[in-house]
Amino acid sequence: MDKRSKIVLYVIAAVILMLMIAEIAKPKPLNWSDSYSAADKIPLGCYVLYNELETFSDGEVLENTESIYLYLNNKTESEEKQSLFMINSYVNLTEQDTDALLEFVDDGNIVLLSSKGLYGKLADTLNLTIRLDYSGLYKEPANNQFTSPNQKENNTLFKDVIENAFITSVDTLNTTILGTVKGEDKDETHPNFIKTAFGKNNGAFYIHTNPYAFTNYHILNGSENYTSTVLSYLPKQQIIWDNYYKSGRKVITSPLRYILTNPALKWAFYISMFSLILFIIFKGKRTQRIIPVINKLENSTVEFTQTIGELYYQHGDYSNIIAKKIQYFLEFIRTKYFLNTNNLNTSFIEKLAIKSSNTKEDAKAIVDYLLYLKSKNTHTETELIELNKKIEKFTKNNF
């Protein structure tokens, strides 16, 4: 990697690092989503209320993190009466949940249900209808008032962060209206807080249609008296806080989802992955296997021939060397000049002289010497040297 490429890479890495730091350091946008969870400190969470419930509870505040049906069927029987708090934008109960809840209240317990809507079997059983007013009251400032003259000082005007819902029908035989809602510029009032007796053991449902009154935003912005007054209508007994039927309930389905929902773990994960990618890129380039240099195959025929020749020469086998040199020379003539070497006669000498660019005398001299050597059975070193000289002289222009 050249110097310029390294500089570019360092600049890119620095920019990415600065972007990550800016992302981490920038102020987080305020989360205005409906939560109602006891653990959430966002405006529409219920962290403040949950941590103040001991004031209104007779004993430790219990927490439910599963469906009402499972919780009420698995909990141990208690002679002491209890109050179940269910606060959310909408509470959707199955038929099994509703049956378990009705049985719980029929045993003399209390349910506080604060929601903008109630449907299904529970609404039918209580003969109750809740609706949002879309004609002008919806999301407009509204007075939440108590019907008791003794509580007038705790009436509260909710100016913002509000969705006004009210009750349009009730079971008049078993219901007591405890509070109403009225638009700031309207004279028309509607019930929004009621008590409905249920069963023969003094059990009751407290239905409240303004769940926003229990959130951190309103409790910390001057509406705490209204909230505490609503809770004061309930008998002081052990409270069960429902943390299952919540819009902001945390649902973790995998370890990776848990990591990505936690800001610190999320950025640690991103940095680790980025570092791993850089490591792979640079480590892969630095430690790749060196490609070996493969030399061209050498033609060792000449060396081999020299070795064999030296072997014969050292043993004094001149006749064998001369025979092989004559055989090699004749093969050269056959392949180079396409001449038949079976008969080394006058016609052969003439053709050889013409094709080899030698004189007829030179051609005749080497042929005669070949015939001379072939006629002998034994040879001397001098004859071998002379043969080699004649062959080199004759072929000097042909190799």
Side-chain angles (χ1 to χ4, degrees):
M1 183 181 293
D2 58 16
K3 185 176 181 181
R4 178 177 296 179
S5 299
K6 288 183 178 180
I7 294 174
V8 172
L9 186 61
Y10 291 150
V11 171
I12 293 174
V15 171
I16 293 175
L17 181 61
M18 291 174 63
L19 290 174
M20 294 175 64
I21 294 174
E23 181 69 21
I24 296 173
K26 74 176 184 180
K28 296 180 180 178
L30 197 58
N31 184 359
W32 285 96
S33 60
D34 296 359
S35 169
Y36 304 101
S37 173
D40 278 340
K41 299 180 181 180
I42 61 176
L44 298 184
C46 286
Y47 177 83
V48 175
L49 174 64
Y50 180 77
N51 285 274
E52 295 295 330
L53 282 182
E54 289 186 0
T55 306
F56 303 91
S57 178
D58 184 10
E60 180 186 4
V61 176
L62 304 179
E63 183 179 356
N64 168 45
T65 56
E66 56 187 354
S67 71
I68 290 297
Y69 172 78
L70 292 177
Y71 179 78
L72 294 180
N73 279 276
N74 293 333
K75 82 180 189 71
T76 57
E77 293 292 335
S78 175
E79 295 183 358
E80 300 296 329
K81 302 304 178 182
Q82 296 174 315
S83 297
L84 173 62
F85 280 31
M86 302 183 71
I87 302 172
N88 198 44
S89 294
Y90 298 95
V91 178
N92 297 316
L93 301 176
T94 64
E95 188 170 343
Q96 284 183 322
D97 293 334
T98 302
D99 291 338
L101 193 64
L102 292 173
E103 183 179 349
F104 175 73
V105 177
D106 189 51
D107 290 338
N109 297 294
I110 300 297
V111 170
L112 170 65
L113 195 154
S114 184
S115 173
K116 297 181 295 182
L118 185 64
Y119 312 97
K121 184 176 180 179
L122 182 59
D124 294 338
T125 302
L126 300 180
N127 192 20
L128 186 68
T129 303
I130 298 175
R131 75 178 181 88
L132 285 168
D133 185 0
Y134 293 96
S135 63
L137 189 62
Y138 180 67
K139 286 191 176 181
E140 289 186 356
N143 281 300
N144 282 241
Q145 303 173 336
F146 296 101
T147 55
S148 172
N150 297 327
Q151 301 294 348
K152 285 186 177 180
E153 62 182 10
N154 295 320
N155 294 341
T156 301
L157 174 65
F158 290 88
K159 296 181 179 179
D160 54 9
V161 191
I162 187 73
E163 292 183 10
N164 294 291
F166 53 86
I167 301 167
T168 58
S169 67
V170 297
D171 182 357
T172 56
L173 295 176
N174 299 304
T175 298
T176 303
I177 298 175
L178 303 177
T180 60
V181 60
K182 182 178 69 170
E184 187 178 22
D185 299 325
K186 296 184 178 182
D187 296 329
E188 188 180 30
T189 60
H190 302 277
N192 76 333
F193 181 33
I194 63 172
K195 173 186 176 182
T196 299
F198 187 84
K200 300 180 180 180
N201 297 304
N202 297 322
F205 285 93
Y206 286 81
I207 309 298
H208 185 264
T209 64
N210 182 13
Y212 293 96
F214 299 98
T215 61
N216 302 325
Y217 179 83
H218 287 295
I219 292 177
L220 296 176
N221 284 277
S223 302
E224 66 276 7
N225 289 337
Y226 176 85
T227 305
S228 61
T229 303
V230 171
L231 298 181
S232 69
Y233 278 91
L234 279 65
K236 189 171 184 178
Q237 52 196 34
Q238 188 175 41
I239 292 175
I240 303 171
W241 173 267
D242 172 66
N243 214 32
Y244 181 80
Y245 297 94
K246 301 294 185 186
S247 302
R249 177 164 60 97
K250 302 295 186 296
V251 180
I252 305 299
T253 58
S254 68
L256 183 58
R257 181 183 292 273
Y258 176 76
I259 291 173
L260 295 179
T261 54
N262 187 304
L265 293 178
K266 179 178 70 173
W267 281 107
F269 174 75
Y270 287 157
I271 293 173
S272 299
M273 293 301 297
F274 178 72
S275 301
L276 180 61
I277 292 172
L278 286 180
F279 174 79
I280 292 173
I281 293 173
F282 287 101
K283 190 69 174 177
K285 287 187 176 182
R286 283 177 171 272
T287 62
Q288 66 179 358
R289 186 176 59 184
I290 298 175
I291 300 175
V293 178
I294 301 177
N295 297 321
K296 295 174 62 176
L297 294 176
E298 297 180 357
N299 188 351
S300 59
T301 304
V302 176
E303 289 79 3
F304 177 74
T305 304
Q306 289 176 349
T307 301
I308 297 299
E310 290 174 0
L311 182 64
Y312 281 116
Y313 187 78
Q314 289 174 2
H315 284 78
D317 193 359
Y318 304 118
S319 296
N320 200 345
I321 297 175
I322 288 173
K324 285 182 169 51
K325 287 187 73 66
I326 292 172
Q327 183 180 0
Y328 176 76
F329 178 68
L330 293 177
E331 177 64 24
F332 169 75
I333 292 173
R334 287 192 294 270
T335 57
K336 181 72 174 179
Y337 306 125
F338 303 102
L339 295 175
N340 190 343
T341 60
N342 292 330
N343 295 313
L344 303 180
N345 50 26
T346 303
S347 175
F348 172 79
I349 293 173
E350 292 177 352
K351 293 178 182 179
L352 179 62
I354 294 171
K355 290 193 174 185
S356 64
S357 301
N358 287 292
T359 64
K360 185 177 180 181
E361 289 75 15
D362 292 337
K364 185 175 184 305
I366 192 168
V367 169
D368 290 342
Y369 196 68
L370 293 179
L371 293 173
Y372 166 72
L373 294 175
K374 290 179 71 173
S375 64
K376 296 181 64 175
N377 292 326
T378 60
H379 302 84
T380 64
E381 180 181 359
T382 303
E383 291 172 335
L384 174 60
I385 294 172
E386 182 64 23
L387 174 63
N388 189 66
K389 289 180 179 180
K390 287 183 178 296
I391 291 175
E392 287 183 352
K393 179 182 178 181
F394 187 82
T395 59
K396 64 180 179 179
N397 298 323
N398 297 281
F399 280 107

